[in-house]
Amino acid sequence: MATKKEKRLNISRQIKFKSALNGFEKLVEHIAAQKKDERAGLFVRKEDVIDYDKFYAAVQELFGPEVKNQDVKCFYRKLCNNPDAPMDWCEIFGYFSSEEDALASQLDEENLIFLVSRKQRVVISGSRRRDVIKCIVKIPQLDLLIAASQKGLITVFNSQMRVHTSTNVTDTSWITGCDYLAQLKRIVATTERTIIVWDYKAQGNSQESYFVIKPMDHCLLCVCVVSLPDHLCRDDILLGDDGGFVNKFTVNSDDFGLKQAKSKKKSQNQILDSKNFKSVKRKLHNDWVMKIRYISALNCFGSCSLDSVHSLVLESLKRLEDNLPVREFSMPRGANTFCYCVKANVIVTGGEDKVLRLWHPNISTKPVGKLVGHMFSITEIVTNEKDQLVISLSSAKVFRVWDIQTLSLLQVFHDSQGGPGDMQIYSMIYDANHGMLITGSSVIDMYPLTRMIQDTKQIPHTHEREINVMLYNKYFHQVLTICSESIIKVWELETGLQIYQILDPHGFNVELTSAAIDESGFLFATGAYNGTVKIWDFGSGQEMKVLPEGKDWKEEEHWLKRLIFLKAQGKQQHLVLALERNGRIKMIQLRSEEKP
């Protein structure tokens, strides 16, 4: 009788366990589909999202309290990092098929968040001896990156990390920070005693000119711009100084545009009196203001300091104009840096005590979590919102990558390159557009996300932007592609290798809208939205002929929709039929010995 009961009990246990496994498989499939949708940029309703807490609760309900929190965390992290990878239910209990598999799961390069072995380095030419990158700012809407060096070189990079433009600030003080004025479309930088406003789009000699606002009451240490879309032709600049003050400067387009128009010498730098600008300031800290940010999602600004009592202040801009109490967060030895995670709704701080603290924005009495592991003071913190990661950097150039949902450590790596003079990393950002961690020291280093590299291995990634034109040259067996960023690329059809590329073929920021290959396959023509036409040698990519823009042409009036090569009577002649968006058809005759 006992054996029969045991058999029945075992059978019922097996049925129950199989049912639990089926439920677990469905749960894993649901999370994998959710992560794929998130990476694809698809909208996922909050009530449908299964975060770690829900996953852990569901696993405990299926398998009971025997499952350990740490094992579930590892399984959940692996699933989130690679939803397509095969999953074994044994791992939820901490078992692997072999020791090698367990070790491989920890050391496999595919499980790393950032692929350090694929690091790229950019050395800025023109920077002075022993100069360092003091500040890096990303402009997501323009896909531009601004880098400001300590000794005055401000450089703007395009999406391909090629220098778009640069200027040298000839100030005796060092640069301490920079940002982008979204409304005025200019770059603002701070030195220890002045504010610099530079029109990076200016041409010719005026490109080297900038406005200098001075004097300042204290030494400026950090800067950020308040991004408010309803403020037309006006930007608010927040400044932190060594006196513990937070200053708000308001700048208008009239302060710079009209003055520059009246100036006879456009290449001469102009000095403006700071007293003529609307400004307010308030002392919020008893020590240096180390970092200042405006958090649009919370409609407030944050500033941190080495002050142990007033370490972090999070408050509305209105509080700068009065003496009402402000939200203060206290931590031992203050805070060097902080950042805000929008999805998780937490503020992460770090400083000299080597501890990362997570705070709810409305609860300043006690942190909701702590992350411990750094052996040296924390200097920078950034977030990857899409993957819910926090990346922290210590003064010893050790990076730690954390999962903000599970509060677990995912990766540790160290920047071991450089001599004693290159020890410090002064700035760090995460570029969400390209999935890249970017740091600034004496050089700019870029660490790509592992999944970005894996994606390029699986599917050839030809352009960063959508492709406007794709043509096949049957004589060369090559493919020509043009993206909306106006980059021409020619590819070998059989191997997929890139032969050459042409950047900004019709000039900077001029979008190409059409192209055609002639019958022989030796030439191709490109047309742009401004009506310009160019003829190129297909084999080498060399420019041969140009039909320039007319003097009285209005913008987009002669937008070229299509180009067609026609047969010409002479060998040295080429006829191109051009269709404009306004309905006109042009016949363009090209001879090798003259311009069109």
Side-chain angles (χ1 to χ4, degrees), residues 100 158 163 205 374 395 433 437 496 537 592:
E100 288 78 9
N158 63 14
V163 176
N205 292 332
H374 278 291
S395 57
N433 289 14
L437 183 69
D537 180 83
S592 60

Side-chain angles (χ1 to χ4, degrees), residues 279-388:
S279 65
V280 292
K281 69 175 181 178
R282 181 177 174 181
K283 187 175 176 65
L284 298 174
H285 305 277
N286 292 328
D287 209 320
W288 290 7
V289 180
M290 302 300 293
K291 187 85 69 179
I292 191 163
R293 300 182 194 271
Y294 183 76
I295 306 171
S296 302
L298 300 178
N299 196 25
C300 68
F301 76 92
S303 61
C304 67
S305 169
L306 301 176
D307 185 349
S308 298
V309 179
H310 319 285
S311 307
L312 174 70
V313 171
L314 199 67
E315 205 39 272
S316 166
L317 290 171
K318 294 179 182 179
R319 295 288 79 82
L320 294 176
E321 302 175 16
D322 55 40
N323 289 315
L324 294 176
V326 294
R327 259 181 299 170
E328 294 179 331
F329 301 76
S330 301
M331 55 207 78
R333 303 175 69 181
N336 282 329
T337 183
F338 70 96
C339 70
Y340 175 65
C341 307
V342 179
K343 285 185 182 178
N345 192 30
V346 293
I347 293 169
V348 186
T349 61
E352 299 295 322
D353 69 343
K354 312 160 195 170
V355 178
L356 288 167
R357 290 176 173 83
L358 281 67
W359 307 82
H360 189 281
N362 297 322
I363 304 173
S364 59
T365 53
K366 187 179 179 182
V368 296
K370 292 182 180 180
L371 300 173
V372 182
H374 278 291
M375 303 296 291
F376 295 86
S377 60
I378 298 164
T379 56
E380 288 286 351
I381 307 171
V382 296
T383 60
N384 172 357
E385 284 288 346
K386 188 174 183 179
D387 298 323
Q388 288 292 277

Side-chain angles (χ1 to χ4, degrees), residues 87 100 217 241 249 263-264 266 291 301 372 403 528 533 571:
M87 297 290 168
E100 288 78 9
D217 296 333
D241 61 35
F249 254 74
S263 174
K264 293 181 180 179
K266 288 187 179 181
K291 187 85 69 179
F301 76 92
V372 182
D403 188 323
V533 177
K571 290 184 179 180

Side-chain angles (χ1 to χ4, degrees), residues 324-585:
L324 294 176
V326 294
R327 259 181 299 170
E328 294 179 331
F329 301 76
S330 301
M331 55 207 78
R333 303 175 69 181
N336 282 329
T337 183
F338 70 96
C339 70
Y340 175 65
C341 307
V342 179
K343 285 185 182 178
N345 192 30
V346 293
I347 293 169
V348 186
T349 61
E352 299 295 322
D353 69 343
K354 312 160 195 170
V355 178
L356 288 167
R357 290 176 173 83
L358 281 67
W359 307 82
H360 189 281
N362 297 322
I363 304 173
S364 59
T365 53
K366 187 179 179 182
V368 296
K370 292 182 180 180
L371 300 173
V372 182
H374 278 291
M375 303 296 291
F376 295 86
S377 60
I378 298 164
T379 56
E380 288 286 351
I381 307 171
V382 296
T383 60
N384 172 357
E385 284 288 346
K386 188 174 183 179
D387 298 323
Q388 288 292 277
L389 304 175
V390 169
I391 304 102
S392 56
L393 169 69
S394 74
S395 57
K397 298 203 295 186
V398 174
F399 299 82
R400 286 180 174 260
V401 184
W402 314 82
D403 188 323
I404 199 67
Q405 295 293 336
T406 63
L407 303 185
S408 56
L409 180 65
L410 304 182
Q411 184 181 3
V412 181
F413 60 96
H414 176 241
D415 183 0
S416 58
Q417 294 185 4
D422 304 326
M423 278 304 291
Q424 191 169 353
I425 296 175
Y426 291 88
S427 52
M428 179 173 74
I429 65 164
Y430 176 74
D431 182 359
N433 289 14
H434 303 281
M436 196 89 69
L437 183 69
I438 304 176
T439 62
S441 52
S442 57
V443 295
I444 296 177
D445 286 327
M446 297 174 288
Y447 302 88
L449 281 175
T450 302
R451 64 175 174 81
M452 300 295 287
I453 300 298
Q454 290 171 344
D455 290 345
T456 59
K457 290 178 181 177
Q458 294 165 3
I459 304 172
H461 195 65
T462 55
H463 291 271
E464 296 294 334
R465 295 289 178 267
E466 60 270 18
I467 296 173
N468 288 349
V469 179
M470 184 171 68
L471 300 171
Y472 172 59
N473 189 325
K474 60 183 179 181
Y475 294 99
F476 283 81
H477 297 290
Q478 293 174 355
V479 176
L480 180 143
T481 56
I482 304 174
C483 69
S484 61
E485 205 175 24
S486 295
I487 299 175
I488 300 173
K489 292 187 179 183
V490 175
W491 310 85
E492 193 70 51
L493 183 63
E494 294 179 358
T495 63
L497 296 175
Q498 181 179 310
I499 308 300
Y500 62 83
Q501 68 175 13
I502 306 171
L503 301 176
D504 299 323
H506 284 237
F508 176 71
N509 214 20
V510 179
E511 184 178 357
L512 300 191
T513 55
S514 57
I517 300 174
D518 82 325
E519 191 178 25
S520 67
F522 291 105
L523 301 175
F524 72 95
T526 55
Y529 81 97
N530 60 359
T532 56
V533 177
K534 288 192 177 185
I535 306 295
W536 310 80
D537 180 83
F538 195 97
S540 64
Q542 294 295 313
E543 180 185 310
M544 297 179 66
K545 295 292 174 185
V546 182
L547 174 66
E549 185 178 358
K551 292 182 180 179
D552 300 327
W553 288 3
K554 295 180 181 178
E555 190 174 357
E556 299 187 6
E557 182 186 8
H558 297 272
W559 182 303
L560 293 172
K561 296 286 288 182
R562 191 172 180 189
L563 297 176
I564 301 174
F565 270 97
L566 300 177
K567 289 184 179 180
Q569 295 178 351
K571 290 184 179 180
Q572 302 299 322
Q573 291 184 350
H574 307 283
L575 293 177
V576 177
L577 204 62
L579 172 63
E580 296 180 350
R581 192 165 67 171
N582 57 22
R584 293 179 184 171
I585 298 176

